[in-house]
């Protein structure tokens, strides 16, 4: 029996196990929408297509599965670009379906036509324009395969209207054949042995783990490695949750707003074991002075990450899980003796750094400190929430003061730094996990970037909690202006703001406000107890800064501490 | 340092712009680029000349390999190879200089492919130095227009 392109679309999604699409309709995809009610799939109607991409992304980060969104051609497609680039920078598997004008009109500046293939080329792992219905099933199959395999990433499929309406026999290909795409999963044993030799010699090793640990689900292996080696662990923002924060080998995050001890440890280490991390400039600071005394082992599935920014001594291309398992195996077979004694001075030094400059802030009794709000959120959620963040100070305070212990509990735009990410991502995560506590830690600036999704949350009865750290500034930029631009606060004062409590109410959500430290706990408790979408407006000290801070381009040891 | 790369790609629409876009997007430079189908119509071959230190070249090659439609990348730096380029040169050829033009073309084993009352159009193939040399000589006589193909390169076969 012949099926239409729209029917094939749903058959393919079924074959891929997709249960949810985040989308927004339009003329180019109306035939897909027409077909939709006949299929057992949940459609979440967003209010802006950027939200659809972020929701699919949040869904993917929370579950480890591929997130899916569907939008129309032209403006629908362009509205997703920020979301696509966000997912691309953080290697998140999503598949974006965009409508397109009929093939006969492509290139004619037709109504709502845009070259989304050209636009999205630099921010997708791959993209496809389906020109012939005969290719549709194969391309969708490939898109999902590419999105989730190797180094994951977003894949876009552009669907011209006539292809959606054409008919053909449906056959879902069992296999994909992509002659140019052969990701390396298996780490090379010779390199693993070289890594072992370097590890055996090291006196002051540090493990530096990134988002790859989460993508390849190897947090267990990472913990075993650290414990076997008695080796302290730091992670990037993207790696938070990949190693349990309460652990005695935990250094905290490193980089621009990393802990004093993590940055000092990296500056003094003689062996840096990088796992699924890409030496981002927010992590390394001034490259010449990054881990200057260290031999570097770098495990990554993407060969382009290796030696891109920093010269690596022992590259290991492969899946982090496979590499760690092999390394652990070699370590089990060739036990390193006397590690407790060898590590003692190093761990003592780290302990001293920790005591000299712990992460700290002073909570007064009349003004709410944003850090206090995050700590209270941690405490009252018992560390069990899925946290999403916006971008700015709120993101860094979330990273510093919510102590992540499980992978996939922090969803944040690390690579692109997208304000507006956190709220829709929280919606995506909440849809995947209706019974979990999902909190977006937000700035008063960022929350306004995708605030229209409030109605999406309310419409779907999602109990997402949004904690707005309302400092009446674009705080992170204000902090830069304070420190490096002579307090020239241009364009960062956002006192003119909606009343977030009334706004929440207008959308049918619950709005709560705390203006005094004594009110914080009650607000959080009420929010957690209310099975609805809740906005918590925490009016915080407007001039609080994120510390430590390494000024851009400086060495990681040149931290501003308060 | 200058590198010639041979890039085998799937012969599909948009692949060339992926390759070119990779270069522009990452701030790498392309000096020349030629493309055509191989014996297998499903595969095209790009010959690309670029420049960079060891680290940049490593990135360029890895990034090319990362493109889904790229099947193989060969860096001719590592192997013995033959390279050729073709140039079409329209040169002024008045009564007084015609003989000189022909002489030069002959020395370079070029071919006159078109004639007008005031010009010759000449075809010449060779490595870059040879093309540069004939352009230099003909330059003195007045070049009107030059079209160069960019390099094509092929590895030398093992002799035994
Ligand atoms: C879409 C977007 N535009 C601009 C920026 C630049 N930027 C980074 S942090 C920041 C301030 C964020 O302010 P707010 O959301 O109020 O959070 P705060 O820093 O005060 O916690 C800005 C403007 C960005 N990251 N993303």
């Amino acid at each position: 029996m012949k099926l239409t392109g729209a029917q094939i679309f749903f058959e393919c999604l079924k074959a891929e196990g997709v249960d949810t699409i985040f989308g927004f309709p339009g003329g180019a995809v109306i035939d897909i929408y027409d077909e939709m009610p006949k299929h057992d799939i949940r459609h979440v109607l967003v209010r802006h297509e950027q939200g659809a991409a972020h929701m699919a992304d949040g869904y993917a980060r929370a579950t480890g599965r591929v997130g899916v969104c569907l939008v129309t051609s032209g403006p629908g497609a362009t509205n997703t670009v920020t979301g696509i680039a966000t997912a691309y920078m953080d290697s998140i598997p999503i598949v974006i379906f965009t409508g397109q004008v009929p093939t006969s009109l492509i290139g004619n500046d037709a109504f709502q036509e845009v070259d989304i293939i050209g636009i999205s080329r630099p921010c997708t792992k791959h993209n496809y324009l389906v020109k012939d219905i005969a290719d549709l099933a194969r391309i969708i199959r490939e898109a999902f395969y590419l999105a989730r395999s190797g180094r994951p990433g977003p894949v876009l499929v552009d669907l011209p209207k006539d292809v959606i309406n054409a008919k053909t026999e449906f056959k879902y290909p069992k296999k994909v054949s992509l002659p140019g795409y052969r990701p390396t999963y298996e780490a090379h044993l010779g390199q693993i042995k070289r890594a072992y030799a370097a590890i055996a010699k090291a006196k002051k090793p540090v493990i530096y783990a990134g988002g790859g640990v989460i993508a390849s689900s190897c947090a267990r292996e990472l913990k075993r490695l650290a414990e076997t080696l008695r080796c302290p662990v730091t992670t990037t923002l993207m790696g938070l949750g990949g190693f349990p924060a309460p652990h005695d080998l935990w250094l905290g995050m490193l980089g621009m707003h990393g802990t004093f001890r993590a940055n000092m440890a990296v500056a003094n280490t003689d062996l840096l074991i990088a796992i699924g991390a890409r030496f981002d400039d927010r992590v390394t600071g001034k490259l010449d002075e990054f881990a200057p005394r260290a031999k570097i082992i770098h495990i990554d599935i993407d060969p382009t990450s290796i030696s891109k920014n920093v010269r690596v001594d022992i590259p290991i291309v492969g899946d982090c899980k496979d590499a760690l398992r092999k390394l652990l195996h070699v370590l089990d077979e060739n036990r390193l003796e006397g590690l407790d004694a060898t590590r003692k001075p190093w761990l003592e030094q780290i302990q001293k750094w920790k005591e000299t400059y712990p992460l700290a802030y002073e909570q007064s009794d009349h003004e709410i400190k944003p850090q206090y709000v995050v700590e209270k959120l941690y405490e009252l959620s018992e560390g069990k929430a899925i946290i999403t963040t916006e971008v700015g100070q709120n993101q860094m305070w979330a990273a510093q003061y919510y102590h992540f212990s499980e992978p996939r509990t922090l969803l944040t735009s690390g690579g692109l730094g997208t304000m507006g990410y956190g709220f829709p991502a929280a919606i995506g995560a909440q849809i995947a996990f209706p019974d979990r506590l999902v909190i977006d830690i937000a700035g008063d600036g960022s929350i306004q970037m995708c605030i229209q999704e409030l109605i999406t949350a309310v419409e779907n009865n999602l109990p997402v909690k949004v904690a707005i750290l309302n400092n009446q500034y674009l705080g992170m930029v204000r902090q830069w202006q304070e420190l490096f631009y002579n307090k020239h606060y241009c364009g960062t004062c956002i006192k003119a703001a909606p009343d977030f409590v009334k706004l929440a109410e207008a959308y049918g959500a619950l709005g709560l406000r705390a203006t005094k430290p004594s009110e914080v706990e009650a607000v959080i408790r009420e929010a957690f107890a209310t099975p609805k979408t809740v906005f918590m407006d925490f009016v915080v000290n407007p001039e609080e800064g994120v510390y430590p801070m390494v000024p851009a381009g400086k060495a990681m040891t040149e931290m501003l501490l308060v | 340092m200058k590198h010639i790369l041979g890039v085998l790609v799937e012969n599909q629409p948009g692949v060339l712009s992926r390759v070119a876009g990779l270069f522009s997007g990452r701030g790498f430079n392309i000096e020349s680029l030629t493309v055509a189908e191989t014996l297998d119509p499903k595969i095209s071959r790009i010959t690309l000349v670029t420049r960079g230190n060891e680290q940049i070249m490593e990135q360029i090659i890895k990034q090319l390999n990362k493109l889904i439609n790229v099947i193989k990348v060969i860096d001719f730096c590592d192997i013995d190879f033959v390279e050729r380029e073709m140039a079409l040169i329209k040169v002024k050829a008045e009564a007084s200089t015609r003989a000189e033009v022909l002489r030069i073309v002959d020395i370079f084993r070029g071919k006159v492919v078109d004639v007008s009352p005031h010009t010759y159009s000449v075809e010449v193939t060779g490595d870059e130095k040879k093309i540069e040399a004939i352009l230099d000589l003909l330059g003195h006589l007045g070049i009107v227009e030059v079209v160069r193909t960019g390099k094509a390169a092929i590895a030398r076969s093992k002799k035994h």
Side-chain angles (χ1 to χ4, degrees), chain A residues 67-106:
Chain A
V68 179
C69 64
L70 169 65
V71 299
T72 194
S73 66
T78 53
N79 270 350
T80 62
V81 171
T82 302
I84 297 173
T86 303
Y88 181 69
M89 289 293 279
D90 291 340
S91 309
I92 304 304
I94 59 174
V95 174
I96 309 96
F97 292 99
T98 49
Q100 184 53 281
V101 302
T103 45
S104 59
L105 294 182
I106 289 179

Side-chain angles (χ1 to χ4, degrees), chain A residues 121 127 302-304 306 308, chain B residues 17-18 55 59 62 66:
Chain A
R121 190 174 293 128
N127 59 18
D302 179 5
T304 63
I306 290 175
K308 182 166 65 184
Chain B
S17 72
R18 283 180 205 281
Q55 195 227 345
Q59 265 303 305
K62 283 175 171 176
K66 190 169 162 178

Side-chain angles (χ1 to χ4, degrees), chain A residues 8-140:
Chain A
I8 290 175
F9 173 85
F10 286 104
E11 291 303 324
C12 293
L13 294 196
K14 207 180 297 170
E16 291 295 336
V18 174
D19 53 18
T20 307
I21 312 179
F22 302 92
F24 200 81
V29 287
I30 195 166
D31 300 283
I32 297 182
Y33 275 86
D34 188 54
E35 178 66 25
M36 194 172 307
K38 296 186 203 125
H39 299 268
D40 181 21
I41 204 145
R42 177 170 189 184
H43 177 259
V44 178
L45 178 67
V46 302
R47 294 303 188 271
H48 184 297
E49 291 88 347
Q50 181 181 349
H54 290 326
M55 285 178 208
D57 170 314
Y59 179 95
R61 290 190 209 225
T63 60
R65 307 217 300 268
V66 180
V68 179
C69 64
L70 169 65
V71 299
T72 194
S73 66
T78 53
N79 270 350
T80 62
V81 171
T82 302
I84 297 173
T86 303
Y88 181 69
M89 289 293 279
D90 291 340
S91 309
I92 304 304
I94 59 174
V95 174
I96 309 96
F97 292 99
T98 49
Q100 184 53 281
V101 302
T103 45
S104 59
L105 294 182
I106 289 179
N108 288 4
D109 304 324
F111 177 64
Q112 294 194 326
E113 182 192 357
V114 78
D115 174 16
I116 194 63
I117 294 297
I119 290 173
S120 66
R121 190 174 293 128
C123 60
T124 47
K125 180 169 172 183
H126 196 55
N127 59 18
Y128 292 93
L129 169 62
V130 187
K131 280 204 170 142
D132 186 336
I133 188 160
D135 300 325
L136 181 62
R138 172 185 59 82
I139 286 177
I140 295 180

Side-chain angles (χ1 to χ4, degrees), chain A residues 391-394 417 419 443-446 449 471 473-477:
Chain A
V391 168
Q393 295 180 315
N394 57 84
M419 291 172 68
D444 47 328
S446 300
M449 287 222 170
N471 55 11
Y473 278 112
L474 298 172
M476 187 57 97
V477 184

